[in-house]
Amino acid sequence: MSDPDEPRNPIARWLYRYDRMLRLGHEAEVIRELRDEDDLFLFMCFSEMLGVPNPVSYHTLELYPLIIEQFHEWHQRMGMERSPLDHIRCC
Amino acid sequence: MNAVWLAFIAGLIYIVGWRYYSRFLAERIYRLDPNFITPANRYNDGVDFVPTNKWVLWGHHFTSVAGAAPIVGPAIAMYWGWLPAMLWVVLGTVFAAGVHDFGALVLSARHKGQSIGTLANRLVGRRAKLLFLFIILILVLMVNAVFAWVIANLFISNPSAVLSVFIQIPLAIWIGYTVLRKKGNMLIPSLVALAVMYGAAVAASYIPALQIDLVRWMGGEEASGVLFGLDATGSAFLIWIMILLAYVFVASTLPVWKLLQPRDYINAQQLVVGLLLLYGGLLVTMPSVTAPAFNAQADTSWFPLLFITIACGAISGFHGLVASGTSSKQLDKETDARTIGYLGAVGEGTLALVTILAVATFFASAGDFHDAYSSFAAAGAGGVGNFVGGAGQLISGLGIPEQVGQTIVAIIIVSFAATTLDSAVRLLRYIIGELGVEYGAPKLSQRYVATSIAVFLTGLLVLLPDGGQGVGSGGFLLWPLFGTSNQLLAGITLMLVSLWLYRQGRSPLPTLIPMVFLLTMTVWAMIQQVVFNWSGMGEADTQWLLFILGAIILGFALWILLEAVRLFRNPEELKRLAEREAREAE
C-alpha cells in the first residue's frame, strides 16, 4: 500500500517515515481519546431525547444539522444497533 | 583482538541469517502469500487495524521490543567471558528469536490478528490460556522488581542522570497534549525533548549542584544509621524505591496517551541515538577486547544458566506479545512479516551485541575484569554499571567526554526501564482485575485497588530479597527468574506456532527445536537452582522467596512440556482441536 501523503524527495520521505514510526503506536490512542470526547459531546447534545434534562437544549438544538451526520456512527458505538430516536431514522 | 572484528563477524552472521534462513522460513515453512488479505486490510478501521508501510512498522516493532532487558542480561552474562554470551546472542537471534517473532506475527495474522493469549485458548484450550496468564503474571512481577532495582541503583551510581530522567516526565506530558490538540508531527517535539534532556545531562555532569546525589546528601558512603539503621547507600536505595513506586502508581493510572506513549517516542529516539553513538564510537575507537573469551575463574557454570540470564537479545517471549498484540494488526502484506518479525529480532540482537562489546572492551586488563566479575553475585550487582562505564568509553571516541557519555547511557537505560515499569504495572493491574472477576472478587478489578496491590507486590519483591549485603543488594537475584519466565512465554508461543504448522502439514522442526531447547534449558536451570541452591540442601542456606518463586516457575515449565508432549503424541486430540477451531471459525 503506498501512502498518498509520502513526499517524493527521498530524504523527506525517510523523515516522514521516521515520524510515522514514532506516531504509529500513539495514533490509535489519540483517535480513541478524541472520539471519546466527541461521544461525550454528542451525548450531551442528544441527552434531552434520551430522557436526561438538558438546560441548554435551546442552543444544542441549533447544532443538530452539524452533528446529525455523526449520529449513526455514534449510536452504534454506544451499543445501539438501531437509532434510539423515533424522529431520527438514520438506519 | 579488536572488537570491530567481533562486530563484523556477528553482523555477517546476522546478514546470512536474514538473507537465507529467514527466506527459507518465509518460503518453505510459513509459506507467506503476497495475495493473502491481512487483518489490517480486511478490517481496516483506521484505529487498530491500519495497513502500514513495512519499514515504518519494522521501526515501530523494533523500538517497542527493545528496552533495558537486552542490556542488563548480556552485561551480567559477561561473567562467563565474552564468547559464550556472544555465541548465544548471535545464534539465538538467528535460530530462535527471529523464528519466534516471525512465527508469532504470521500465526496472529493468519488468525484475524488475535493475540497469543486468545490463540492459546483457541488452538489448545482454556488450560493453555490460564497457563499463559499465570506466566505473564509472574513475568511482570519479576520485571517490576528487577527494573525498579536497576533504576534505583543507576540513580545512586549516576546522580547526574537523575535530573534528566525527571525532566522527561513533564516533557512527555507536553508532547502528549501537543499531539492530541494540534495533531502535529512528533519528530520535532520529541527532538526538542531529547535536546533538553541531554542538555540537562551535560550541565549536571559538570555542575554538582544539579546532581541529585542522595548518598552524598546523607553524609557519604561511610555514614551509618541514616534510615531504619541502614547506611547511606541502603537509605538512598530505600528512598528511590519509594519514589519509584509512588511514580509508577500515578503513571500507570493515567491514560496511556498522557505519559506512557509520549515517553515511548522519546525513548525510540534515544534507542536510535544510543545505537548510533555506541556503534559509531566502536568504529572510531576500534578498541581491543580486554575481557577473557572464557572466564576460567567462574564459580558458577555457564551451562545452563547462560540461557536464562540472557533472554531479550537472544530470544524473548515478550516479543510475541508485541507481534501478536499490535504489529499483526498493521501488516499490509503477509510477505512483510519477514522484515518486521525476523529483522526486528535482529535489531534487538544488535543492541545486546554492542552491550557485550562495550563491557568486553571496558577493562584495562583481564585482571580488572576478574576484579569486577569476581563472582556471579558481583556480576549481577555490577553488570549494568560495567556497561555504563564501557559505553562511556566507546562514546568518548566521538569527542563526547566520557562522563557525559556515561550519563547519557544511564539516562537511556533508566528511561527504558521506567517505561517498562509503567507498562508492567498496568499489565499486572489488568491480570489482578481479571483474576478477581474470575474468582468472585470484582472489587479487585477497580483501578486503584488493583494498582495498589500491584505496586505493593512490586515493593515487597524488590525489598525482600537480601543478597547478604543489606537492603536492595539482592534484587539482581531475581534476574534469572525473569529470564526464565520470559523464556517460558517464548516456549508457549513456539508451541502454538509448531502446532499450527503441524496441522497445516508442514514441518514444525524450525520452531519445535528452539522450543525443546529453551524448555530443556529452563527446566535444567530451575532444577539446579531450586533444588541445589535455594532449597537449603547442601551447604547453601534456604532462600525461601527464590525457592517458592523458582518452584512455581519450574512447575509451569513442566506443565508446558507435558502439554506439548500430549498434543504432539495424540493425533485424536489434534483432530478434535482442529474440528473445534473450524467450528468456531464458522
Side-chain angles (χ1 to χ4, degrees):
Chain A
M1 183 203 67
S2 60
D3 186 340
D5 298 330
E6 264 196 5
R8 281 170 173 269
N9 178 305
I11 296 171
R13 186 164 66 232
W14 280 102
L15 278 175
Y16 172 83
R17 284 182 180 176
Y18 186 61
D19 181 48
R20 287 274 304 130
M21 178 195 106
L22 294 176
R23 271 189 295 159
L24 197 58
H26 191 55
E27 259 175 358
E29 281 309 319
V30 168
I31 293 170
R32 257 190 221 109
E33 179 67 23
L34 292 172
R35 205 174 57 184
D36 284 351
E37 285 180 6
D38 280 350
D39 286 347
L40 181 66
F41 178 70
L42 283 164
F43 172 75
M44 283 154 71
C45 291
F46 292 113
S47 64
E48 194 89 336
M49 298 180 180
L50 296 168
V52 182
N54 178 3
V56 291
S57 61
Y58 175 77
H59 300 284
T60 53
L61 202 61
E62 284 186 24
L63 294 170
Y64 277 15
L66 300 172
I67 58 176
I68 205 73
E69 279 183 17
Q70 299 168 34
F71 179 74
H72 174 65
E73 282 181 7
W74 173 75
H75 77 68
Q76 287 203 324
R77 272 207 301 277
M78 295 296 106
M80 293 173 272
E81 195 69 16
R82 300 275 164 194
S83 168
L85 307 174
D86 288 340
H87 49 281
I88 305 181
R89 304 302 322 170
C90 52
C91 52
Chain B
M1 188 188 226
N2 197 300
V4 176
W5 277 111
L6 292 181
F8 178 74
I9 294 166
L12 209 61
I13 298 173
Y14 283 148
I15 291 170
V16 171
W18 153 244
R19 183 86 181 80
Y20 298 102
Y21 192 51
S22 77
R23 181 193 278 179
F24 164 75
L25 291 170
E27 290 174 358
R28 306 285 295 278
I29 305 296
Y30 299 137
R31 295 188 194 165
L32 304 184
D33 177 5
N35 298 318
F36 173 73
I37 301 171
T38 58
N41 285 301
R42 178 181 284 186
Y43 308 113
N44 189 348
D45 62 359
V47 184
D48 294 309
F49 295 88
V50 184
T52 307
N53 175 289
K54 77 172 170 185
W55 291 110
V56 171
L57 191 55
W58 171 78
H60 179 255
H61 181 81
F62 166 47
T63 50
S64 303
V65 296
I71 295 172
V72 180
I76 296 175
M78 272 298 292
Y79 167 66
W80 293 293
W82 59 263
L83 192 59
M86 190 170 142
L87 281 177
W88 172 229
V89 162
V90 174
L91 298 178
T93 299
V94 170
F95 294 108
V99 179
H100 167 272
D101 298 12
F102 187 3
L105 195 54
V106 176
L107 181 71
S108 173
R110 283 275 167 173
H111 291 86
K112 304 177 183 173
Q114 287 171 331
S115 66
I116 293 294
T118 316
L119 287 171
N121 192 20
R122 190 170 159 186
L123 294 176
V124 183
R126 186 168 173 267
R127 215 169 46 223
K129 189 193 169 189
L130 275 177
L131 176 60
F132 174 81
L133 260 184
F134 282 131
I135 290 180
I136 297 248
L137 178 75
I138 212 113
L139 176 73
V140 288
L141 261 176
M142 300 290 149
V143 167
N144 290 339
V146 170
F147 282 172
W149 169 79
V150 166
I151 297 173
N153 275 307
L154 279 173
F155 276 173
I156 292 170
S157 57
N158 296 276
S160 48
V162 182
L163 181 67
S164 301
V165 171
F166 278 97
I167 285 179
Q168 192 184 15
I169 299 168
L171 285 171
I173 294 173
W174 165 67
I175 294 179
Y177 274 100
T178 307
V179 173
L180 185 75
R181 296 293 161 222
K182 296 185 180 164
K183 302 184 188 76
N185 75 22
M186 256 163 223
L187 192 58
I188 307 293
S190 51
L191 280 176
V192 170
L194 210 58
V196 173
M197 281 171 63
Y198 289 172
V202 174
S205 297
Y206 292 105
I207 307 168
L210 295 176
Q211 295 171 5
I212 303 175
D213 191 347
L214 294 188
V215 177
R216 185 162 53 89
W217 292 354
M218 288 188 288
E221 283 177 17
E222 293 78 26
S224 58
V226 182
L227 274 179
F228 309 111
L230 295 168
D231 61 7
T233 310
S235 305
F237 182 84
L238 191 65
I239 294 171
W240 280 130
I241 289 292
M242 291 303 149
I243 292 174
L244 278 171
L245 292 178
Y247 160 77
V248 91
F249 182 90
V250 177
S252 65
T253 45
L254 289 175
V256 285
W257 65 267
K258 272 190 186 160
L259 181 60
L260 180 63
Q261 288 186 330
R263 278 186 76 113
D264 268 345
Y265 333 133
I266 305 175
N267 289 352
Q269 306 260 30
Q270 293 208 76
L271 178 65
V272 176
V273 169
L275 282 174
L276 286 177
L277 285 178
L278 289 168
Y279 276 102
L282 186 75
L283 285 176
V284 173
T285 52
M286 302 184 86
S288 293
V289 173
T290 49
F294 279 105
N295 181 3
Q297 299 171 17
D299 61 354
T300 312
S301 168
W302 65 275
F303 189 87
L305 269 185
L306 171 71
F307 304 104
I308 55 167
T309 305
I310 303 181
C312 299
I315 176 166
S316 154
F318 171 70
H319 295 198
L321 301 182
V322 178
S324 66
T326 52
S327 302
S328 65
K329 298 178 177 67
Q330 294 161 332
L331 206 60
D332 184 23
K333 290 195 188 82
E334 196 184 34
T335 42
D336 293 350
R338 183 184 160 206
T339 307
I340 294 147
Y342 198 92
L343 212 53
V346 169
E348 191 175 67
T350 58
L351 180 60
L353 179 69
V354 83
T355 303
I356 293 170
L357 297 179
V359 179
T361 57
F362 175 46
F363 303 99
S365 65
D368 286 355
F369 170 86
H370 289 303
D371 287 344
Y373 285 93
S374 55
S375 64
F376 189 52
V384 177
N386 294 333
F387 166 69
V388 172
Q393 201 166 281
L394 285 183
I395 293 173
S396 67
L398 298 172
I400 298 170
E402 200 171 321
Q403 195 186 349
V404 175
Q406 286 184 4
T407 305
I408 289 176
V409 172
I411 293 168
I412 293 175
I413 301 174
V414 171
S415 306
F416 289 168
T419 309
T420 309
L421 207 59
D422 184 345
S423 314
V425 169
R426 266 171 215 276
L427 204 53
L428 196 53
R429 183 178 94 204
Y430 298 142
I431 296 173
I432 289 169
E434 201 161 314
L435 289 175
V437 171
E438 190 90 8
Y439 292 102
K443 270 213 177 299
L444 288 181
S445 59
Q446 283 178 9
R447 182 191 294 182
Y448 294 107
V449 176
T451 309
S452 303
I453 295 172
V455 169
F456 176 74
L457 286 176
T458 302
L460 206 62
L461 211 53
V462 73
L463 292 173
L464 266 186
D466 187 343
Q469 299 155 34
V471 67
S473 63
F476 62 86
L477 288 174
L478 292 168
W479 180 262
L481 288 176
F482 159 73
T484 313
S485 33
N486 207 350
Q487 304 293 44
L488 289 183
L489 201 59
I492 293 187
T493 307
L494 286 170
M495 181 175 79
L496 294 175
V497 179
S498 305
L499 183 64
W500 175 67
L501 289 172
Y502 188 67
R503 275 173 25 185
Q504 301 286 319
R506 302 176 209 164
S507 169
L509 287 179
T511 50
L512 206 56
I513 292 171
M515 182 198 103
V516 172
F517 176 78
L518 268 188
L519 293 179
T520 311
M521 290 305 121
T522 309
V523 170
W524 194 325
M526 277 297 103
I527 289 176
Q528 197 184 60
Q529 295 292 310
V530 172
V531 179
F532 299 108
N533 286 355
W534 298 332
S535 69
M537 278 170 65
E539 292 171 9
D541 294 335
T542 310
Q543 300 194 44
W544 283 108
L545 184 80
L546 294 174
F547 176 72
I548 293 167
L549 286 170
I552 293 172
I553 292 174
L554 180 61
F556 286 149
L558 291 171
W559 186 355
I560 300 176
L561 265 178
L562 289 175
E563 203 69 56
V565 170
R566 185 183 67 88
L567 283 171
F568 285 97
R569 288 191 61 185
N570 190 348
E572 286 299 312
E573 177 73 4
L574 277 175
K575 203 173 151 195
R576 190 185 63 77
L577 287 170
E579 282 169 2
R580 197 193 67 163
E581 198 199 338
R583 269 201 312 276
E584 282 177 8
E586 279 170 17

